[in-house]
Amino acid sequence: MIGRGQLPSLNALRAFEVAGRLRSFSRAAEELGVTQGAISRQIKLLEGQLGIELFHRLATGVSLTEEGDKFLPVLTDCFVKMTEASASLRDDPFRLSIGAPPSFGMRWLMPRLPRFQAEHPRIDARLTITTDDIADLAGFDAGVHYGATPPPGLHALKLAGERLVPVAAPRLIDDPERPLKTPQDLARHTLIDTVPDRRYWRLWLQVVGHDSVTGERAQVITILDMALRVAEQGLGIAIGDVAMIADDIALGRLVAPFPVEVPSGFSYWLVARPEASARPKLRSLFRFMEKEARATAALKLKPPSVP
């Protein structure tokens, strides 16, 4: 048994944490770059120091004992905190790395970063556009998460609730053959969605009471920018989030023929680790983005003007 004030071997604790998390001595050996025998010896050492068995050794592999199952999450949490604490010591107080999904990153976040930089010239904000899930914030100080709720355990700010609205080329409003005067007129147009199951169009049409409308044709273009460019050419009617299409409407490239905004139930969240959110650079980012989020929430589209 270990005495008061003593700790087991750190190498042994690490070997147990990895083997317990992976439920395998061989996989733990691969992760730590040692032999399976070394993992087994370290865990035997730890069991001796603690005076308990942590694993059941079976012919088919290993499984945690009741004591091992209780010990593992505590130990995993400790290693995570040590890793985060070590990272914070190396953290550059003026470099701010942000990860964001493509459409929101390019159409909402990127245009706002120059204003953030102007207000905080000492902070070097670097945006990475990525399709990877950034819920674990690996390599980032902050990230943008798309979902009904933010990932659990993270400090979060709601940047924009997704509000769906159809958009079209301005000339289609009074097209002599296929004008867009009522939602029923959509039946004579190609409806462009950005998700394969076309749930955004189905949701919007259901809410406005025209769920029987299917469109003359349906197209799926998963990249919002491409979907909007196709709509801009008059080749279909796209559906998108108000927060990301407002600039196209303000510049006259697109119009919202039926400016009925339908919430999708999903939002974009700015997230950071709780222990890092108090750092000055992140406090500055969250304060700035909170103002931008309020402005986005207040944004309202107007019907297209009639010449």
Side-chain angles (χ1 to χ4, degrees):
M1 294 289 290
I2 59 174
R4 184 182 297 274
Q6 293 179 323
L7 281 175
S9 160
L10 184 60
N11 286 339
L13 289 170
R14 185 59 172 154
F16 166 70
E17 191 279 331
V18 177
R21 174 164 43 83
L22 299 177
R23 300 296 196 271
S24 168
F25 285 12
S26 60
R27 291 175 62 194
E30 291 176 8
E31 180 168 317
L32 294 176
V34 297
T35 65
Q36 183 174 337
I39 295 293
S40 181
R41 286 191 295 274
Q42 289 292 339
I43 291 173
K44 275 290 186 185
L45 171 64
L46 181 60
E47 289 175 326
Q49 291 176 325
L50 295 174
I52 57 174
E53 286 194 349
L54 298 169
F55 284 99
H56 296 299
R57 277 79 169 174
L58 308 171
T60 55
V62 295
S63 64
L64 288 167
T65 63
E66 182 179 351
E67 292 83 358
D69 197 47
K70 290 179 181 178
F71 189 34
L72 178 64
V74 177
L75 196 56
T76 298
D77 184 59
C78 289
F79 276 111
V80 168
K81 287 180 178 177
M82 284 191 290
T83 301
E84 291 172 348
S86 299
S88 69
L89 295 175
R90 300 190 299 270
D91 182 51
D92 185 332
F94 301 114
R95 178 173 294 179
L96 181 59
S97 58
I98 308 168
S103 293
F104 191 84
M106 291 186 293
R107 301 185 70 85
W108 193 93
L109 189 57
M110 189 175 287
R112 287 162 173 79
L113 284 182
R115 296 202 297 272
F116 172 74
Q117 295 273 203
E119 289 188 19
H120 305 279
R122 296 185 68 188
I123 297 177
D124 178 17
R126 301 186 178 188
L127 175 63
T128 298
I129 301 297
T130 176
T131 57
D132 294 338
D133 181 15
I134 53 83
D136 60 357
L137 291 171
F140 297 112
D141 296 302
V144 176
H145 172 77
Y146 173 72
T149 60
L154 294 180
H155 179 65
L157 168 68
K158 184 177 177 179
L159 296 175
E162 190 172 50
R163 295 177 285 161
L164 303 173
V165 68
V167 287
R171 67 177 182 275
L172 292 184
I173 300 300
D174 293 309
D175 185 88
E177 296 182 1
R178 298 181 299 167
L180 284 169
K181 299 300 184 183
T182 72
Q184 190 63 40
D185 294 332
L186 291 167
R188 303 169 65 191
H189 290 267
T190 297
L191 305 186
I192 305 169
D193 212 319
T194 54
V195 287
D197 62 5
R198 301 194 288 277
R199 63 180 178 272
Y200 293 147
W201 263 118
R202 287 192 285 105
L203 175 61
W204 190 89
L205 288 166
Q206 182 181 26
V207 170
V208 301
H210 289 274
D211 49 339
S212 62
V213 172
T214 58
E216 190 175 67
R217 284 176 297 278
Q219 298 290 347
V220 175
I221 303 176
T222 58
I223 300 173
L224 179 62
D225 276 282
M226 293 179 62
L228 296 180
R229 296 292 77 81
V230 171
E232 189 179 327
Q233 296 171 45
L235 301 177
I237 316 300
I239 190 162
D241 182 5
V242 169
M244 291 190 278
I245 60 179
D247 288 346
D248 293 275
I249 293 173
L251 293 171
R253 293 195 290 257
L254 293 166
V255 294
F258 318 112
V260 179
E261 301 169 11
V262 173
S264 73
F266 286 76
S267 299
Y268 292 92
W269 307 84
L270 180 65
V271 296
R273 296 182 187 87
E275 69 279 1
S277 62
R279 295 172 190 166
K281 62 183 181 181
L282 282 167
R283 285 205 308 269
S284 297
L285 178 67
F286 273 78
R287 280 198 299 265
F288 176 86
M289 291 303 172
E290 187 174 9
K291 293 185 294 183
E292 295 296 323
R294 287 199 297 268
T296 295
L299 183 65
K300 296 294 180 184
L301 301 179
K302 297 180 180 179
S305 58
V306 179

